[in-house]
Each structure stands twice: as C-alpha cells, then as structure tokens.
Amino acid sequence: MAEQPSKSSPLTELCSALPSLPMRLQEVGRFVAANDYDATTRSMRELASVAGADPASFTRLAKAIGYSGWDELRAALTEARRPAQASPFSARARKRQGPNADVSLVADRLAAEAIGLARISADAVAEAARALHGARRIWIAGFRSCRSVAELLNYELRLFRPDDVQLVGGSGPEDLDFGAFRSGDAVVVIGFAPYSTASVESTRAALKAHACLIAIADSVTAPMAEGADHLLLYEAASSPGFFPSLTGAIAIAQSLAAVAFSLGAANARKRLEATEARLAAMSQYVTEKG
C-alpha cells in the first residue's frame, strides 16, 4: 500500500495560497508568515495594530485558505511549532561537546529566555490584572513544577489582599476548593505541556462555577486555555535544556501582582504597610548592622 502523503504545514498552505488571494489578504498573509510566533501568542487586535490591518482581515485570511476562522488557523500554527517529544523531558536533552559546551548552554538559554520575555503581551497581562483587581476572591492553581509559580503569585497578592487570595489545594485536597469556586471569583490556572490532571480539573471547575478564568499557559491549545476569559502565553519549550522554562510564567505572575497592587491604590498600600509592620514586629528579617 502506498504511503499517504503527510499533511502540509499551515505556513506552507498559507504561502502556497498567497498568489490567489486579494492584494490586502496577501499583505496580511505575508505578515503572518513572517511573524508566525507572534501570530500564535498575540491577540488578533494586537496583530492588526502591528500589521496596520483590520482585525477582521485575519479571519478572512484564515477562511480563504480553508480554516473555519482565525482561532483554528492560530491553533494549527501553534501545533506546527510544537516540537515532537517521545517523552516529556528526557527527549529535550541534547549532547553538547567542546571545552565551552557548558558556558554555551547557559548563554543559549539566557538568550532564549530574553526573546521569550519580549514576546509576552503586556496588554493581555494588564487586562487580566484588572480582572484580578475586580474579583471578589482569587484562587490560584498550579501543580507539580508550576506550583512554585502559583505560590509566588499567592504570596505577592496576599501581601495586600490577605483575606481574598487562596492557593488551590493549599490547605487540603484541591477538590474541596473546586466546590468553593463562585461566580465573581477569579481562578488563575498555570501550566505547560505535559499538563497535569489537577490543572485540567481546576479549569473545568472554574468554568462550571462561571468564575473568571485566567490561564497562564504555553499554547493556545493548552487545556486551560479553552474557555479562558484571559489567556496569558509564555514560551516554555524553545529554550535549550532538558526542562521547559518557567521564566515567562514567573514574569507574568509578578506583573499581575504589580498591576493589581497599583490598581488597589491607597487601600492596597494601607494593607501592605500593615503586613510589613506585622513582619517587622515578628522580627522576620535580619536587621543589618551599621
């Protein structure tokens, strides 16, 4: 039996279709082809602003090349960028040789992290922070390696909103917290491939409760991205090394806390000052000797 030809990549489909498209869609198509990473991580409005195009033209482009809409084309572009992995982490490891291989690995990783940070959408993070500010309560879900990001965001937010912020699974089984999600709450779910079962369950519980879902994820096709009110994307898999990068997720978490504090104005400052005073009274920090 003859081997079936593999499906062409979305970029190949796009480039092949360009000559047959109207001139304006050709311009948008060339922009997407030249900025395929941005196309997978930035909103349609942001892309249109940079490209000098109407946001609706991205939907028309997707339909012109056989997709149901921009979301489907963007998902295809994202999947095409995803590296094939035989196992979650060990397949990422690459043997390096030479006297400066270790230094080169560090330099390559730092360079990749800098590029990834520059691609995070500041507009999307600020919009999500406004949702956190307006939420009655904030729940933060991060498991396994993403637990550290969740704990950092929980810690920073509780410095000025101690009564309103809860780490999912922080004081018992996470399913008990799922039952406490309510409309008017915000639920932040953090994850990257391979996704933990608990993060997917957190997402489903947030959607069922009609809470505001904020997903910090590595892909538009991530389970926590489906149905999210706010999707904050970071690049986890492009940096060298056996383990995906959490640098972008940490930067997003800290930015969310910083903007939420700023929006809290005088009341947030008052709560933070009270927290600092309590920590000082409990001698939580070493006093520098003069």
Side-chain angles (χ1 to χ4, degrees):
M1 180 180 293
E3 183 179 347
Q4 294 296 321
S6 60
K7 188 178 184 297
S8 61
S9 73
L11 280 180
T12 300
E13 294 172 350
L14 174 59
C15 293
S16 297
L18 283 178
S20 63
L21 298 178
M23 186 62 66
R24 190 56 183 140
L25 289 188
Q26 287 186 32
E27 295 174 0
V28 175
R30 292 190 183 97
F31 173 83
V32 171
N35 300 274
D36 62 304
Y37 177 82
D38 287 341
T40 64
T41 59
R42 295 183 180 274
S43 69
M44 189 187 301
R45 179 173 59 84
E46 289 179 296
L47 290 172
S49 177
V50 175
D54 179 359
S57 62
F58 287 86
T59 298
R60 292 196 295 271
L61 172 67
K63 291 183 175 180
I65 62 174
Y67 291 86
S68 62
W70 174 248
D71 286 343
E72 186 181 4
L73 174 55
R74 183 170 66 169
L77 289 169
T78 300
E79 190 61 30
R81 289 181 56 86
R82 190 190 303 279
Q85 295 182 6
S87 55
F89 308 128
S90 59
R92 287 174 49 84
R94 296 291 181 268
K95 185 176 181 180
R96 290 175 174 246
Q97 298 178 337
N100 295 315
D102 50 354
V103 177
S104 296
L105 175 57
V106 174
D108 290 347
R109 176 136 196 162
L110 292 176
E113 302 286 19
I115 293 171
L117 288 175
R119 288 171 170 164
I120 294 172
S121 171
D123 287 346
V125 176
E127 187 175 347
R130 288 191 285 271
L132 284 183
H133 172 66
R136 182 174 62 92
R137 293 182 302 175
I138 300 171
W139 301 87
I140 307 170
F143 304 95
R144 301 187 69 82
S145 56
C146 290
R147 192 64 167 184
S148 59
V149 183
E151 289 177 344
L152 174 63
L153 181 57
N154 176 69
Y155 178 79
E156 292 195 16
L157 289 174
R158 292 198 67 189
L159 288 173
F160 58 93
R161 288 190 64 173
D163 302 324
D164 308 326
V165 183
Q166 177 72 43
L167 190 66
V168 175
S171 59
E174 56 265 13
D175 59 279
L176 296 180
D177 291 329
F178 296 163
F181 292 174
R182 296 290 183 271
S183 176
D185 293 354
V187 179
V188 181
V189 183
I190 307 157
F192 65 81
Y195 306 101
S196 69
T197 301
S199 67
V200 177
E201 292 173 344
S202 299
T203 299
R204 292 172 179 167
L207 293 173
K208 183 177 180 180
H210 303 289
C212 176
L213 175 60
I214 299 173
I216 302 177
D218 63 333
S219 169
V220 295
T221 60
M224 62 279 299
E226 185 174 351
D229 297 282
H230 302 273
L231 175 57
L232 310 179
L233 292 167
Y234 67 97
E235 192 157 350
S238 66
S239 62
F242 78 96
F243 202 84
S245 171
L246 282 169
T247 302
I250 292 171
I252 289 172
Q254 292 191 295
S255 297
L256 285 172
V259 176
F261 175 75
S262 177
L263 292 171
N267 186 57
R269 180 175 293 277
K270 183 178 179 180
R271 297 299 296 269
L272 178 60
E273 290 173 346
T275 299
E276 290 175 331
R278 185 179 68 256
L279 292 174
M282 296 174 65
S283 299
Q284 290 296 308
Y285 298 105
V286 175
T287 302
E288 294 185 8
K289 296 181 180 180

